[in-house]
Amino acid sequence: MFNRHTYSVLGTMTALALPLAAQAQSAASTQVETRMTTVAQPLPASKPLAAQAGVAGTVDAKGDAASAAAPQFTRDNGAPVGENRHSKTVGDLGPVLLEDSHLIEKLARFDRERIPERVVHARGTGAHGVFTASADLGDITRASLFVPGKQTPTFVRFSTVIHPSGSPEGMRDPRGFAVKFYTDEGNWDLVGNSLPIFFIRDAIQFPDMIHSLKPSPITNKQDPNRFFDFFSATPEATNMLTQVYSNLGTPASYRTMDGNGVHAFKLVDKNGETVFAKFRWISHQGVKNLNGAAAAKAPFNYLTDDLYTEIAAGNFPTWDLMVQTMKPSEFAKLSYNPFDDTKEWLDVPFKKVGEMVLNKVPDNFFEFTEQSAFAPSNMVPGIEPSPDRMLQGRLFSYADTQRHRLGANALSLPVNRPLVTVVNNNQDGQLNHGNRKADVNYFPAQTAQKTTDAQYRQSAYAVSGMADVKPISKTDNFAQPGTFYRALSAADKADLIANLAGDLNVVTSARTKTIMVSYFYQADKDYGTRLAQATNVPLAEVTRAVAEYRAATAKLATR
């Protein structure tokens, strides 16, 4: 989100085809901080960087091959066009005529080629693939895709979060890792990131956080003064800031990157029994990142070029889908809220449930990657929301932004359309082509009945408590970033300190710098001490800020 510092990680997992109970993974094999390595440069492409990636259908791939038979050029109404190089004019020196309908249509269509850019995750690339289940999860969810050997088509969109669509791919940022499963009971969107946690735990803060990270409304430049001003009042961001300022914030390849659903989800079995779960994608290609110097030299489009090149060459990237589960009876043992998305479920074992392979580059970038519409609210029977406050907000926000970008009929576009038949009374809107013929567009209707089978009702659950606007009680903001830091190699620690100091040293407010360093000091004393030295913040000021923070926190706890 920030500057072009990067880092590389290596770790390879072997696909397993074992019973679910036998697939529990050790912490070392699933925690990215123990598997990552740093590489000297982006993974090499098989063609010159300025060239296309050898994808079938491109001019690059055709080379000197002769063109196929040329079809007749037409207008959008299908009428043939006799001239496409010259406008209709009055003589050699006369004006262009408004009656040249082909000219007017061509310019008008050109003017409307761009749809609204995503506010976040604007810079992205996508690929088609297939998910093959390896475990039967029938004992914890009725979701139909988790049957051993069953294959489900997927579409994946990788992205940066903060930077615009025309930005370099090497800039520091969490990376979006969104997967659309086209299941036989509708589409399930697992809309996640490369990192397992997030900056904030309540969606009401999301617009403010993004505003701080986006360019200044005055200078139109991204400014560490602005986003560290926000984060200095947001101590729960310490975990995410530690991870994104490590070399994980600048991956060497989308293929060498893990993915995470981030939130907890509720899994419901056929009897209505529930457990809560988190999902993680483990890369078969390992986890490889760039350091700051390598990221600064990375080609503008290196992540997309690498993905397209490798898929076109038949080197299909693969990920294992892992799941963690917890019952409500286990929550009390935790030092944190289980639905706090700034936390990982450390020490909860992972189990492999399937494998995803990306095997096809989209035929058209705009029609697939740009028009792909992901939303956490796109769930299927057996998968439901948890009380995660960030997830609850995203249930509305993501679907709403897609309707804004693409219109009410966004889910009828080929990339978003379910494989199953859609049956409802939603109608009309821009670009509707549902081909409806029925007179009945309401429910209930005796003359044209539609079924709502009770087996698909969402689970019932009890709630209790006082409705209020209060923070969660178990915050524990600093333990996990300390754990992450201590697991890093010496070189990775040095890169983390350099990356953070690079942006903190731009901050002109001594107060903001001191508070930020105090958060990292509370995560780990060595971490905070080294960062204080790198940012010229007196350690005495840091320890005083720590004492003030703890006193304020203790006071709040007594209210």
Side-chain angles (χ1 to χ4, degrees), residues 173-470:
D173 222 349
R175 307 293 156 149
F177 196 125
V179 182
K180 188 180 295 292
F181 296 83
Y182 302 92
T183 86
D184 55 14
E185 288 191 326
N187 288 356
W188 173 37
D189 291 353
L190 183 58
V191 191
N193 287 325
S194 58
L195 303 178
I197 42 63
F198 199 57
F199 299 97
I200 53 177
R201 57 171 66 103
D202 194 314
I204 199 170
Q205 297 185 76
F206 190 72
D208 297 296
M209 185 194 76
I210 296 302
H211 287 169
S212 79
L213 289 163
K214 288 287 190 178
S216 160
I218 295 178
T219 66
N220 198 36
K221 290 172 58 180
Q222 190 184 46
D223 185 357
N225 285 283
R226 288 166 37 82
F227 57 76
F228 280 124
D229 182 28
F230 174 84
F231 287 129
S232 68
T234 313
E236 63 266 33
T238 305
N239 199 12
M240 183 68 166
L241 288 170
T242 297
Q243 295 206 25
V244 79
Y245 271 101
S246 78
N247 290 334
L248 291 170
T250 44
S253 166
Y254 282 137
R255 298 178 299 108
T256 60
M257 191 175 75
D258 287 350
N260 296 272
V262 179
H263 306 291
F265 295 89
K266 183 193 297 181
L267 301 185
V268 186
D269 70 13
K270 61 183 178 181
N271 299 316
E273 300 296 321
T274 64
V275 298
F276 292 93
K278 284 198 172 191
F279 294 95
R280 176 169 296 177
W281 296 102
I282 299 292
S283 169
H284 279 212
Q285 296 72 233
V287 179
K288 301 182 178 71
N289 305 307
L290 304 174
N291 62 21
K297 299 175 183 177
F300 189 90
N301 212 53
Y302 78 100
L303 293 173
T304 296
D305 288 346
D306 171 77
L307 183 68
Y308 275 32
T309 297
E310 293 303 308
I311 292 177
N315 300 322
F316 302 144
T318 304
W319 287 262
D320 286 337
L321 180 60
M322 317 294 291
V323 65
Q324 296 170 290
T325 59
M326 267 205 289
K327 298 178 180 178
S329 60
E330 300 175 88
F331 294 166
K333 68 182 181 182
L334 302 175
S335 64
Y336 53 88
N337 186 314
F339 305 120
D340 177 358
D341 70 342
T342 71
K343 305 293 187 295
E344 295 183 68
W345 286 1
L346 297 180
D347 301 322
V348 177
F350 282 89
K351 297 176 182 178
K352 179 182 175 182
V353 297
E355 182 176 292
M356 179 175 67
V357 177
L358 299 184
N359 55 19
K360 185 179 184 298
V361 170
D363 292 330
N364 182 282
F365 181 88
F366 181 86
E367 291 184 12
F368 289 91
T369 301
E370 187 62 18
Q371 291 193 132
S372 59
F374 294 88
S377 55
N378 291 334
M379 297 183 181
V380 292
I383 302 174
E384 298 180 9
S386 76
D388 181 328
R389 297 183 184 188
M390 191 68 201
L391 173 61
Q392 292 282 322
R394 293 178 79 213
L395 295 176
F396 163 75
S397 182
Y398 274 59
D400 186 57
T401 198
Q402 302 301 353
R403 295 185 191 104
H404 165 66
R405 293 180 60 244
L406 303 170
N409 292 293
L411 298 191
S412 68
L413 293 167
V415 67
N416 303 317
R417 188 166 55 228
L419 299 182
V420 299
T421 302
V422 175
V423 179
N424 58 43
N425 296 320
N426 298 335
Q427 67 175 31
D428 303 344
Q430 290 183 342
L431 302 181
N432 174 50
H433 56 93
N435 195 30
R436 293 181 182 272
K437 299 180 177 67
D439 186 45
V440 175
N441 57 357
Y442 49 88
F443 182 94
Q446 293 301 314
T447 57
Q449 295 187 6
K450 298 181 180 72
T451 300
T452 55
D453 195 320
Q455 68 171 315
Y456 299 120
R457 289 181 180 176
Q458 288 199 327
S459 63
Y461 57 93
V463 294
S464 63
M466 182 69 68
D468 202 350
V469 286
K470 293 175 63 177

Side-chain angles (χ1 to χ4, degrees), residues 141-185:
T141 178
R142 60 153 297 160
S144 64
L145 71 162
F146 295 116
V147 176
K150 186 171 186 177
Q151 293 194 321
T152 301
T154 62
F155 185 81
V156 176
R157 187 176 186 272
F158 302 110
S159 58
T160 56
V161 175
I162 296 301
H163 304 296
S165 60
S167 58
E169 290 187 313
M171 300 182 77
R172 180 169 304 283
D173 222 349
R175 307 293 156 149
F177 196 125
V179 182
K180 188 180 295 292
F181 296 83
Y182 302 92
T183 86
D184 55 14
E185 288 191 326

Side-chain angles (χ1 to χ4, degrees), residues 15-25 134-136 352:
L16 302 177
L18 301 175
L20 183 59
Q23 292 181 34
Q25 302 292 299
S134 63
D136 184 351
K352 179 182 175 182

